[in-house]
Each structure stands twice: as C-alpha cells, then as structure tokens.
Amino acid sequence: SAFDNRVCFQLGDEGRSVPEQFAHSLGLLDGGDQCSVLLAPLPNGKDFDDVNLSSDLTTYIQAGGSAECITVEVRQEMNGEHEQLVVGRRRPVHDDEPRRVEIRWSDHSVTVNDNEVFDASEAAMLFVSYFETGALPADYETRPIQLS
C-alpha cells in the first residue's frame, strides 16, 4: 500500500515544538525504511488510534523521498471531488521549460519538475504553514497529478 514505510505519531508526542517535530521527521527521510511523512486532520469523532490511513484521510499534506530530495503533495476537496496536487516554487512566467527529476522512495518513484523538489528544511516550512493555516505560502503553487 502507499502507507508502507510511514511512521505515525501525534504532534506533540515527542517533546518538541511543532516546527521542530516536522524538521526532525522530514530530516530522517532516507528514501527507504523511512520515506514519507503525512499530516492530516483527524476525522470527526475518531481518535488517532482508530484512523484507517487508507480510507479515512481525505485532505492532507504529504512528503516522500529522502531528506535531500523530497516531493510534497496536498490532497484537497474541490467541488465535491478530491484532487492530488504536487507543490512547487512559483516559476517566473518567462522561465525555461522545467527540468524533470525522479524522486524515489521505498519501491516507488515519481517524476516531478525541478521547482517541485525540496530539502527537509523547506518541506518542514511547508508543513508548518499547512498546519498553522491550512494553506501553503503564497509563493508556492500546485498542479494536479495523477495517482497510479
């Protein structure tokens, strides 16, 4: 499943601030045994231990890869439908065609544009923004991706 190699924890359980916890968790990503981090609100009426990761999480931000080469995605509801979006730094309108980069984690890979590749520090900042505001910073953009 897509949730293999994911470590689950509740924010605040590790004695660190929320920004420190995101930075620590994303910094541990190695593309193998520890290859993804996901942040999602708990469904109404469910405790953390009762959540089915495959079916209960409808909106979230997630990161996959290694601490040096991470892709970040958000899943959101638009017009009653859920869509998966990859996050990237906003590109200038007249910028050259993006370079494609393959990001590997466990036995999966995804190819994204070079402006959609982050290190753990920048990914942590995106997670903190999403946690605090439910949105990404204004200088980032998203584009739809197809899940296979």
Side-chain angles (χ1 to χ4, degrees):
S1 90
F3 295 103
D4 293 341
N5 303 82
R6 179 166 288 149
V7 176
C8 298
F9 57 88
Q10 293 187 74
L11 287 173
D13 280 355
E14 296 183 356
R16 295 181 172 95
S17 70
V18 169
E20 290 170 336
Q21 199 162 352
F22 287 133
H24 175 76
S25 298
L26 290 159
L28 292 175
L29 295 182
D30 62 10
D33 291 337
Q34 296 186 39
C35 59
S36 62
V37 174
L38 179 137
L39 171 67
L42 287 175
N44 289 335
K46 290 213 174 188
D47 289 325
F48 181 73
D49 293 332
D50 299 327
V51 172
N52 179 321
L53 296 176
S54 297
S55 61
D56 290 339
L57 305 181
T58 58
T59 59
Y60 54 76
I61 184 172
Q62 69 178 358
S66 64
E68 304 80 28
C69 191
I70 296 173
T71 182
V72 176
E73 299 172 359
V74 292
R75 184 170 190 225
Q76 64 187 24
E77 186 174 342
M78 294 289 284
N79 304 322
E81 300 278 324
H82 288 94
E83 63 180 351
Q84 196 83 9
L85 305 164
V86 64
V87 178
R89 284 173 226 84
R90 203 170 289 285
R91 296 181 82 87
V93 175
H94 59 280
D95 201 14
D96 293 335
E97 192 67 24
R99 184 175 53 88
R100 304 289 285 163
V101 178
E102 182 181 36
I103 297 180
R104 302 191 63 74
W105 69 94
S106 189
D107 58 349
H108 306 284
S109 71
V110 64
T111 302
V112 297
N113 297 330
D114 55 355
N115 67 310
E116 299 165 342
V117 178
F118 304 99
D119 63 15
S121 176
E122 191 172 11
M125 183 270 308
L126 295 171
F127 271 68
V128 170
S129 175
Y130 188 89
F131 174 75
E132 292 177 346
T133 68
L136 299 167
D139 47 345
Y140 291 83
E141 60 188 5
T142 59
R143 69 174 175 86
I145 56 170
Q146 295 297 320
L147 298 176
S148 51

